[in-house]
């Protein structure tokens, strides 16, 4: 959540961006709600390769809405689920891990290019 919040602050006030506190707080609300749902409900209850891969794919797809913080939240969840799987389903765990990392790195690259 800290990384997503930091990127949101960077996108709101970084460089020559002229956005309001209200916009930042709206994005923080999206991040907080999504992190609560993902880490409070999804990650503890969903195990297995299907869940890890689904969250990883959703993380990558959510990069189109990079400003929302969702790619970082979902990417972190995919990484966590992927690490859990690496003991039993090594290939699926590695793919979920890679998708989570890809979503986070792509989000950071977009923020850098947007500045």
């Amino acid at each position: 959540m800290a990384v997503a919040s930091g990127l949101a602050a960077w996108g709101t006030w970084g460089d020559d961006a002229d956005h309001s506190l209200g916009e930042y707080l709206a994005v923080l609300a999206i991040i907080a709600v999504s992190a609560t749902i993902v880490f409070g409900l999804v990650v503890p209850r969903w195990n297995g390769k299907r869940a890890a891969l689904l969250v990883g794919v959703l993380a990558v797809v959510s990069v189109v809405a990079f400003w929302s913080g969702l790619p970082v939240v979902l990417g972190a969840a995919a990484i966590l689920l992927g690490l859990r799987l690496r003991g039993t389903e090594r290939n699926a765990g590695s793919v979920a891990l890679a998708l989570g990392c890809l979503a986070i790195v792509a989000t950071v690259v977009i923020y850098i290019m947007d500045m």
Side-chain angles (χ1 to χ4, degrees):
M1 226 169 105
V3 172
S5 300
L7 287 172
W10 182 15
T12 303
W13 295 297
D15 204 22
D16 290 332
D18 186 27
H19 300 283
S20 69
L21 177 62
E23 291 175 15
Y24 178 64
L25 293 176
V27 173
L28 283 184
I30 294 169
I31 293 167
V33 168
S34 64
T36 301
I37 292 169
V38 169
F39 289 102
L41 298 174
V42 175
V43 171
R45 295 182 184 173
W46 288 9
N47 290 313
K49 63 183 177 182
R50 180 175 285 163
L53 294 174
L54 176 64
V55 172
V57 168
L58 288 174
V60 172
V61 170
S62 70
V63 170
V64 298
F66 67 95
W67 54 267
S68 68
L70 288 175
V72 176
V73 171
L74 293 171
I79 291 168
L80 179 60
L81 291 169
L83 288 172
R84 276 192 200 163
L85 278 179
R86 292 202 60 194
T88 58
E89 297 279 346
R90 187 160 182 81
N91 290 338
S94 295
V95 170
L97 185 67
L99 289 171
C101 289
L102 175 64
I104 293 170
V105 169
T107 301
V108 171
V109 168
I110 290 170
Y111 271 101
I112 291 170
M113 291 175 54
D114 193 42
M115 289 297 143

